[in-house]
């Protein structure tokens, strides 16, 4: 099942806590914002340890350096407001007793409300007491279609002409890389060779 379809299904079924295992934080957030906000009409609250909550003027900077307080916003928000809470690197706090207990307490409430916590992290380590509450969703590296879109965007922005054969070779060479890595590799090729050709790949 496609990532967006599976995520939409989990959200509609009111899974309380979803863990998205990925190294591509920006890409997963972009896809969630693009699909969830339009298709499911939920407000999205994004939190990280350094900046606290961002993307919402009412809560800007709230829970900065305080993961327990980040969970308190989930409780405080009106129970009828459909919301999604993106908690970045929150997996690092799951072993803390207060966080673990708070998540277990909140999960009972979340099952009855249109709210979901999404933890985004690259290390998959869920404590035993939380394993039944947290649903893990794998986020795959970009597939050929997404790589093609990104390469087309980058090539057009650089105003470079690339043959279809070279484009195919480039797409194959980029498989297994994150979008961020693809961007860096192409930037390095352009900086080194001033163009993209078979020699530079």
């Amino acid at each position: 099942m496609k990532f967006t379809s599976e995520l939409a299904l989990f959200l509609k079924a009111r899974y309380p806590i979803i863990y998205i295992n990925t190294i591509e934080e920006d890409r997963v957030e972009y896809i969630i914002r693009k699909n969830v906000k339009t298709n499911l009409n939920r407000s999205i609250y994004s939190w990280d340890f350094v900046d606290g909550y961002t993307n919402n003027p009412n809560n800007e900077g709230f829970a900065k350096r305080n993961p327990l307080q980040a969970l308190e916003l989930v409780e405080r928000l009106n129970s009828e407001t459909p919301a999604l809470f993106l908690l970045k690197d929150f997996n690092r706090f799951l072993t803390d007793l207060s966080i673990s207990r708070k998540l277990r307490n909140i999960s009972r409430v979340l099952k009855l409300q249109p709210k979901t916590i999404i933890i985004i992290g690259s290390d998959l380590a869920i404590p035993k007491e939380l394993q039944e509450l947290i649903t893990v969703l794998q986020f795959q590296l970009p597939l050929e279609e997404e790589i093609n879109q990104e390469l087309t965007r980058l090539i057009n922005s650089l105003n470079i002409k690339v043959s279809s054969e070279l484009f195919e070779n480039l797409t194959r060479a980029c498989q297994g890389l994150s979008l961020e890595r693809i961007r860096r590799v192409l930037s390095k090729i352009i900086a080194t060779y001033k163009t993209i050709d078979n020699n530079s790949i």
Side-chain angles (χ1 to χ4, degrees), residues 120-170:
I120 301 173
S122 57
D123 297 325
L124 187 59
I126 301 170
K128 197 173 220 160
E129 70 272 10
L130 294 174
Q131 287 177 357
E132 285 298 311
L133 293 176
I134 298 175
T135 303
V136 177
L137 184 55
Q138 294 294 331
F139 187 68
Q140 303 301 324
L141 289 170
L143 298 174
E144 190 174 342
E145 181 185 335
E146 205 171 351
I147 293 170
N148 284 341
Q149 290 172 352
E150 184 63 18
L151 290 176
T152 302
R153 188 189 70 74
L154 290 169
I155 288 168
N156 289 341
S157 71
L158 296 168
N159 207 15
I160 298 173
K161 299 285 183 223
V162 175
S163 72
S164 58
E165 181 188 340
L166 178 61
F167 190 84
E168 243 178 77
N169 291 341
L170 198 53

Side-chain angles (χ1 to χ4, degrees), residues 173-192:
C174 291
Q175 288 180 341
L177 301 177
S178 67
L179 281 187
E180 186 56 37
R181 179 69 56 130
I182 290 169
R183 291 175 187 135
R184 283 189 297 200
V185 167
L186 285 180
S187 295
K188 185 177 177 184
I189 288 171
I190 297 296
T192 307

